[in-house]
Amino acid sequence: MPMKTVGIRAAYMALAMAGTAFIALPAMAEGKLTVSTPQDPGSWDPIDTFLVQWAAVATNIFDGLTYRGPDLKLVPGLAESWEELDEGKRIRFHLRKGVTFHNGEPFNAEAVKFTFERLLGEQGAKGPQRSNYVSIDSIEIIDENTVDMKLKAPDPVLLTKLAGYGAMIVPPKYIAEKGEDFFNANPVGTGAFKFVSYAPKVNIQLAANPDYWGGAPKLSELDFRFIAEPSTAVAELQAGRVDLVLPPTIPIGMIDVIKNDSKLELVSVPGPTVDALRFNTKSGITADPKVRKALIMAVDRATIIASILAGEASQIASFQGALSFGYDPEMKPLPYDPEGAKALLAEAGVKPGATVQIDIRGNDATMNEVAQVIASYLQMVGITATIKPYETNVLLNDIIPQGKTGAMFQQKWGGWTFDYDNTAYSMYHSGEKWNPYDSDPEMDKLLESQRPLTDRAERERILKDIAKYAADRALELPLYNSNAIYGINKRVQGFVPAPDTRLKLNEVSVN
C-alpha cells in the first residue's frame, strides 16, 4: 500500500476516533491495476485488427450488441434481447436505453447502423475484419432503440462474432468530427473504462466509467503497459510494478519463478490459441506438398510439448484446438517419422543441404526455443534451417500479408469464436490477409458452403472436411494448442481468466 495512502487513512482514523465527522474515502481510491501485455496493436479502431492483444485492452473500452465472457456463454450486451426472423435471414435487436458513449454521445440505432455500414464499407475494406461480417446485407432502423440486421444468408456464428472485434459499436459523431486517424489513437466506446492516454509502444491508460450500464467498475484506473520482453514483464511482476501479465508472455522456463514467489500466482486455462509453422506454398522447395509433408514428419511435436512446454499444451492435427467447433477427435497428426521424411524429400528431388528460412515473432520466447529445436530436427533429415525473428507488428502487418516470408513462418491464432470457420476462412480462403500464397478453388468452395448453414451437424461435417483437406495438402506444420497462462499478484481480487484473453476487468479489485 502506498505510504501516502496509509498517511491519509491514518489521519481519517484519528479524526473518527476523536468523534469528528468526516466523509468516507471513495471506494475506488486505490483501484489501479497495471497489466503487462506483449504487443501494441498500433490502432484502437475495432475494424483495424485481429490481434488478441487488442481485444485484451479494448474489451474494456468497447461493447458489442452481444457479449461472451470467460465461461464462453453468449449473453446480452448493448442489445438487451434479440429474435431471429425470416428463417435466420433477419435478426431484430432491442437496444439498451439510456446508454451513452464516453464522450456523452447517445448510443442508439443510428450508432448501430453507422458501425456496420462503416465496417462493411470503404473504411472496413482497409482492415482485416470485414470478411467475418459479409453475411450482413443491411441495417434497418425500426425506431431509436430497435434495429433489424438483414442477412444475405443465415450465419450461425454471427451472434458470437457480434461480441468482439470489428462489431464493437463506435460513436458516429465523434468519428465524423475527429476523423479516422484521431479515433485510431483516441478510442471512444460505451465500455466500463474510458480512454485517458496512449503512448505508442509504451502504454495505454484507462479510467473507470462511473456511468457504465453494467455498473461502475471496482477499479478506478487501468494501465496496460506494452512489455515485449518476457523476462522484463516477469521481473516487473515480481517487483510489484505490474499486477497481471497476459498470455502469451510467460515463457515455460519462467513458470517456476512465478510459482515459487509467495506474492504471485500462476493461472493456466485451456484456450483457443494454436501455433503452427505455415508454408510458402507458392515458391521454393515448400511449393511441393511432398516436401511439406516431409518437414512435418521430421519434427517430433509430442516431445516438444513435453520437454519445452512442460505439458502446458496439446498436440494438434489441424489448426484448431479441442474447444473449437469443427474439431475432429478422430483426426490424427502425421507421425514423427524421420526416415519417411528423408524418403519423401528424396522422391521430391530435394538434396541434403537444402535450406529453409523460418520466420518467427522475436518476442515470443517459447517459439524461439521451439524453432531452435525444429531446426535441429530438420537438420537430421538433411534440411538446414535458419531462424529469422521479426518485431511482431512487422511480421503480422508487413511480412506475412505481403507474401515476403521465408519457406516457413509462425502463425499464432486465437480463434476467439471457438468456431473453426473463424480460423479456416482467414487462413485458407483465396485473397485473405493471412493467406498470401495459396489459391485453391476447391478449398474456397468448401469454406463458402458451410457459412450459411443452420444445420449444425452438416456444418460441422464440412468443417471437419476442411481440416482434412488442409492436412492432406499440408498447408502448415500444426504444432500445439497452448494453455492461456497468466501471472498475477495475489493482491488482485475477483480476476477470472479468459481462455481467449478477452478480459473485461470491471469486477476486479485490488487490495
Side-chain angles (χ1 to χ4, degrees), residues 71-88:
D71 61 0
L72 305 185
K73 293 179 180 178
L74 200 65
V75 297
L78 287 173
E80 288 185 317
S81 63
W82 56 86
E83 51 206 301
E84 297 186 55
L85 307 168
D86 300 342
E87 298 181 331

Side-chain angles (χ1 to χ4, degrees), residues 335-412:
Y336 172 52
D337 181 3
E339 293 306 314
K342 289 178 184 178
L344 274 178
L345 289 169
E347 190 178 333
V350 176
K351 297 179 181 179
T355 62
V356 295
Q357 178 179 298
I358 303 175
D359 297 341
I360 64 171
R361 301 183 186 188
N363 72 330
D364 189 336
T366 300
M367 179 53 71
N368 267 274
E369 192 172 352
V370 168
Q372 295 289 345
V373 174
I374 288 173
S376 297
Y377 279 123
L378 295 183
Q379 189 68 51
M380 289 191 286
V381 298
I383 301 293
T384 299
T386 57
I387 299 167
K388 188 168 184 178
Y390 284 94
E391 195 272 325
T392 299
N393 282 349
V394 172
L395 181 64
L396 297 183
N397 296 321
D398 181 25
I399 302 302
I400 295 175
Q402 301 302 320
K404 298 189 291 188
T405 72
M408 305 168 76
F409 56 97
Q410 178 192 3
Q411 190 85 58
K412 181 185 289 288

Side-chain angles (χ1 to χ4, degrees), residues 138-200:
S138 63
I139 303 292
E140 181 183 345
I141 295 175
I142 305 303
D143 59 42
E144 187 178 6
N145 300 299
T146 312
V147 296
D148 277 1
M149 183 175 286
K150 296 183 177 180
L151 309 183
K152 298 170 186 173
D155 183 343
V157 195
L158 182 60
L159 287 170
T160 297
K161 292 175 185 175
L162 296 181
Y165 293 94
M168 298 292 91
I169 306 300
V170 298
K173 292 179 183 176
Y174 179 79
I175 293 175
E177 291 172 3
K178 300 292 187 179
E180 298 287 350
D181 291 342
F182 187 85
F183 180 60
N184 289 348
N186 299 267
V188 164
T190 60
F193 291 87
K194 300 179 179 182
F195 170 78
V196 175
S197 66
Y198 170 48

Side-chain angles (χ1 to χ4, degrees), residues 47-123:
I47 65 177
D48 280 352
T49 185
F50 257 126
L51 299 178
V52 171
Q53 303 309 326
W54 178 90
V57 176
T59 299
N60 296 284
I61 302 172
F62 298 102
D63 292 307
L65 294 174
T66 63
Y67 173 68
R68 194 195 67 195
D71 61 0
L72 305 185
K73 293 179 180 178
L74 200 65
V75 297
L78 287 173
E80 288 185 317
S81 63
W82 56 86
E83 51 206 301
E84 297 186 55
L85 307 168
D86 300 342
E87 298 181 331
K89 292 188 70 175
R90 178 165 59 101
I91 307 174
R92 174 162 291 183
F93 291 96
H94 302 279
L95 309 179
R96 292 187 186 276
K97 299 176 183 177
V99 177
T100 58
F101 288 97
H102 300 151
N103 65 331
E105 186 176 332
F107 160 73
N108 52 29
E110 288 286 354
V112 175
K113 183 177 177 66
F114 171 82
T115 293
F116 288 98
E117 288 183 348
R118 177 174 179 265
L119 169 63
L120 297 168
E122 183 179 340
Q123 193 64 30

Side-chain angles (χ1 to χ4, degrees), residues 416-477:
W416 75 278
T417 59
F418 289 90
D419 189 294
Y420 185 47
D421 168 79
N422 177 254
T423 303
Y425 203 96
S426 299
M427 296 298 125
Y428 309 134
H429 195 279
S430 299
E432 286 295 303
K433 175 179 179 177
W434 304 114
N435 180 25
Y437 299 117
D438 209 55
S439 182
D440 183 339
E442 181 63 28
M443 177 65 89
D444 290 349
K445 183 179 177 182
L446 282 169
L447 289 164
E448 292 161 7
S449 69
Q450 55 81 33
R451 279 203 154 180
L453 295 180
T454 54
D455 184 327
R456 186 175 174 86
E458 176 63 10
R459 188 167 164 272
E460 185 177 32
R461 183 192 67 76
I462 296 174
L463 289 174
K464 289 180 178 180
D465 285 346
I466 290 168
K468 290 173 186 172
Y469 188 65
D472 286 344
R473 292 199 55 218
L475 296 179
E476 64 257 323
L477 193 171

